Amino acid sequence: MWERRFSGGLLWVVLAVWMVWAVSASGCGNDRAVTPPLDAGTDTGVDTGVDAGPPPPPERCASFAAPGVGPRFRDVSAAWGVDAPSLDVLASRVSVGDLDGDGYPDAIVHRTGSHNPTDFTAEPRAYTYRVLMNVDDGSGGRRFEDRTRESNYGATRSDGPDVGRAAHFAVYGDFDDDGDIDILSGTNGDPNNAATDPGHRSEVLLNDGSGVFALGPVSPVIVGSEGGRRIVTTAAATLLDHDRDGLLDAFVGNWFAQYGRSLYGMQDVLARNVGGGAFEEVTDLVGLRTEGDVDSPTTAAPTYGVTACDVDQDGDTDLLVSAYGRRWNQLWLREGDGYREVGAASAFAGDDAVDYSDNEFYRCYCQTTGSCTAPSPRISCDGLYWSDGTDDHPFRLNGNTFTTACADVDADGDMELYSAEIVHWHIGSSSDSSQLLVNDGPGADGTPKFSRPGNAATGLEVPHVGTSWNEGGISSGLADLDNDGRMDALLGTSDYPDQALRIYRQGADGRFAETTGESGIDHPCAPGFALADLDRDGDLDVLVASSTARDCRDAWPDGPALRVYENVSGQDANWTQLHLEGAGAAAGGANRSAIGALVRVTANGVTQTREVQGGHGTFGLQHDLDVTVGLGAACTIDRIEVIWPDAAGTTQVFENVPANYRMRVRQGEWPEYVVD
């Protein structure tokens, strides 16, 4: 993919640098300008220079007629080879990343429901995970090829080659500063049932550059305390450079310490990268230790998802914890060298609905014990599932939050949050539903404040079918699916009747409208999805995993199939796409994967903000690290600003950029336009 480039840049501003290039460009093929990197010793504190680069490639322009038809997709699973006659891929979770460095996103999928190792002597259909490489199909298209065994993703510390390590999710980033994507592979154990433990733990896998991996150094903070002897309920992980030293760190979220026996969660941990793929724990050092009474907002909650993003846009990365068990969510705001928990102060912890009088378990408790007065229950009271003195406290009157997506939805420069929650009719109105949290800016103390307009106001409603309805929100995402310049929303719901992947298109008035039925994606019971431009045509395609839990067995009787949905509407609008590469720790720059970088794209008087994020939500939802921005009718971009996640906050600016090109942007160098 990277062999055919048009090198050019249009206007480049780097803080504290005046560089005059003596270059020439012929304007086609492999004839490209020579663009020397920044001097690693240059001070980047003051904006002092502007220099025009080589000429741009030819203008490309799509005839976009707003409001357009909205996002449209078609099922191309057969063409990509993931259906039953071909690779027959079963998946409940999916993550994407360019594992072999060819410019195209690959995928790793996992199945749920087992803590067992993978038996590589069985048919691939039975593997608990698959590594799928995005390859040329020989006729100008793309397809997936199974490289599960060749990739060495299932490597173990002690078992033979026919045993694959027990693993449940994967997030991607360059850990060893060598320019390729490595993997943090998460393993979830069950402390209640040690007999099911094969002894495998989460691992760091280092890439040789071709998509073949080797186990990294053993780091206790990754494998769990006590040298990996303790079974850890790892449920999520995200990547960030918390100290801006050019090396990617990891924030790992853990679920209940003992599910069904205690309300306490297992401690979440921050793992600092010390180089070479090794990590040390800095949880206490930065103030992330969660201790205290179970009803404290900062006590360890059962974490189901973690997200890292710059919520308050102050140039560092904040941490969000999505908690299960109707517990408070936590927002850890980065301040100085540590973090301050502001979940309740920001309104991220939960909504303000705490009336539990319509909780059917509470009504059964009142009827059975006679200790309280409530309306007659609408369920059969075959047991007591309400604990007086616990379930009536505020810390148990929130949501079952699985995922929190973070993005600038309203194009005002700060980050909104979109939560995915499971809620049941019989729990009542105190249980939070999946919803959008609007960032209203900082308060007097600098804490961001979120409002909850409600799904009726935003249009993000989930249909309630029948009296005994459920909302099975597990995964959420925010992206511009039709390239009209406005962020759309996706919600993956599962496990109960009438659950599916739901797509909501944002209109010009900022309100969303569900377009699932018209979109061409009809995917029931969708616990996970990944967004990536699989064919590199400028719009986002969707890979969707499936569930066979509970009622979803009827939807997928042959197993939880993976489906590939090609975007067939994004090409009707204009777009830009950036592949960012930080200079790396050795050069004193941003991490090589550019995770944490902010991109601001201004066209037709509107500035859109994107952040490169390293996985989010429950069990490692990972979208393409490349940044895709829809431009609607705009054929020229007035300004692209890249703020690199290094210690200096180095900034590059490009002006009058032509739309409809994919660009490779290395920190401190001119962008290279990909010309196919």
Side-chain angles (χ1 to χ4, degrees), residues 30-306:
N30 289 320
D31 297 322
R32 38 174 284 196
V34 178
T35 55
L38 287 174
D39 183 342
T42 300
D43 175 16
T44 57
V46 181
D47 181 1
T48 60
V50 174
D51 180 45
E59 181 180 291
R60 295 173 174 175
C61 192
S63 297
F64 175 74
V69 295
R72 296 291 186 271
F73 299 87
R74 63 179 178 183
D75 188 338
V76 291
S77 303
W80 281 82
V82 301
D83 59 349
S86 301
L87 298 179
D88 197 8
V89 180
L90 303 181
S92 304
R93 299 163 185 146
V94 56
S95 57
V96 294
D98 183 5
L99 302 180
D100 58 2
D102 68 348
Y104 288 91
D106 310 299
I108 299 180
V109 302
H110 296 79
R111 295 174 66 182
T112 59
S114 174
H115 298 286
N116 297 327
T118 286
D119 179 6
F120 284 139
T121 66
E123 290 297 316
R125 185 181 199 272
Y127 293 176
T128 56
Y129 42 77
R130 307 279 288 274
V131 176
L132 306 173
M133 303 302 292
N134 185 341
V135 301
D136 191 326
D137 69 358
S139 61
R142 310 293 300 180
R143 64 178 175 84
F144 282 122
E145 181 174 281
D146 190 310
R147 302 265 185 88
T148 307
R149 298 204 66 175
E150 295 87 342
S151 71
N152 204 36
Y153 175 71
T156 70
R157 295 285 173 182
S158 58
D159 298 311
D162 290 332
V163 176
R165 181 176 42 82
H168 300 98
F169 69 88
V171 293
Y172 311 117
D174 186 356
F175 295 130
D176 53 5
D177 203 31
D178 66 350
D180 52 36
I181 284 181
D182 307 306
I183 299 174
L184 172 56
S185 176
T187 298
N188 176 276
D190 183 2
N192 288 344
N193 191 356
T196 66
D197 179 25
H200 300 160
R201 298 293 181 264
S202 300
E203 295 279 5
V204 170
L205 302 170
L206 300 179
N207 196 343
D208 70 356
S210 68
V212 177
F213 297 87
L215 292 168
V218 175
S219 300
V221 66
I222 299 297
V223 303
S225 59
E226 303 172 22
R229 292 185 296 276
R230 184 184 184 195
I231 300 174
V232 183
T233 58
T234 302
T238 189
L239 306 179
L240 69 154
D241 183 358
H242 94 95
D243 52 6
R244 295 298 199 251
D245 65 351
L247 294 173
L248 279 177
D249 312 306
F251 184 53
V252 180
N254 299 310
W255 201 49
F256 282 107
Q258 292 283 335
Y259 179 61
R261 303 178 185 180
S262 169
L263 291 177
Y264 285 93
M266 190 172 284
Q267 175 69 51
D268 300 332
V269 297
L270 181 62
R272 178 179 179 269
N273 191 337
V274 295
F279 292 81
E280 64 179 6
E281 183 165 356
V282 293
T283 308
D284 292 346
L285 183 65
V286 298
L288 289 171
R289 176 64 56 181
T290 48
E291 296 177 331
D293 294 336
V294 70
D295 59 355
S296 168
T298 57
T299 296
T303 299
Y304 244 152
V306 292

Side-chain angles (χ1 to χ4, degrees), residues 239-403:
L239 306 179
L240 69 154
D241 183 358
H242 94 95
D243 52 6
R244 295 298 199 251
D245 65 351
L247 294 173
L248 279 177
D249 312 306
F251 184 53
V252 180
N254 299 310
W255 201 49
F256 282 107
Q258 292 283 335
Y259 179 61
R261 303 178 185 180
S262 169
L263 291 177
Y264 285 93
M266 190 172 284
Q267 175 69 51
D268 300 332
V269 297
L270 181 62
R272 178 179 179 269
N273 191 337
V274 295
F279 292 81
E280 64 179 6
E281 183 165 356
V282 293
T283 308
D284 292 346
L285 183 65
V286 298
L288 289 171
R289 176 64 56 181
T290 48
E291 296 177 331
D293 294 336
V294 70
D295 59 355
S296 168
T298 57
T299 296
T303 299
Y304 244 152
V306 292
T307 304
C309 68
D310 187 358
V311 171
D312 54 0
Q313 293 290 280
D314 64 350
D316 50 33
T317 304
D318 310 304
L319 299 171
L320 300 103
V321 174
S322 302
Y324 184 70
R326 303 189 61 213
R327 299 286 294 277
W328 280 311
N329 296 324
Q330 296 172 345
L331 170 53
W332 296 92
L333 203 65
R334 179 77 181 191
E335 292 184 343
D337 295 328
Y339 293 87
R340 175 171 64 98
E341 205 286 312
V342 297
S346 66
F348 173 62
D351 67 23
D352 57 4
V354 294
D355 179 5
Y356 52 83
S357 63
D358 58 351
N359 185 308
E360 300 303 320
F361 293 152
Y362 170 71
R363 294 178 176 184
C364 282
Y365 174 82
C366 292
Q367 175 178 279
T368 303
T369 67
S371 61
C372 50
T373 301
S376 298
R378 294 172 291 176
I379 61 173
S380 175
C381 300
D382 55 358
L384 287 180
Y385 300 102
W386 178 269
S387 177
D388 188 50
T390 299
D391 291 336
D392 54 352
H393 283 207
F395 83 101
R396 286 278 284 166
L397 299 172
N398 302 285
N400 295 302
T401 315
F402 282 70
T403 295

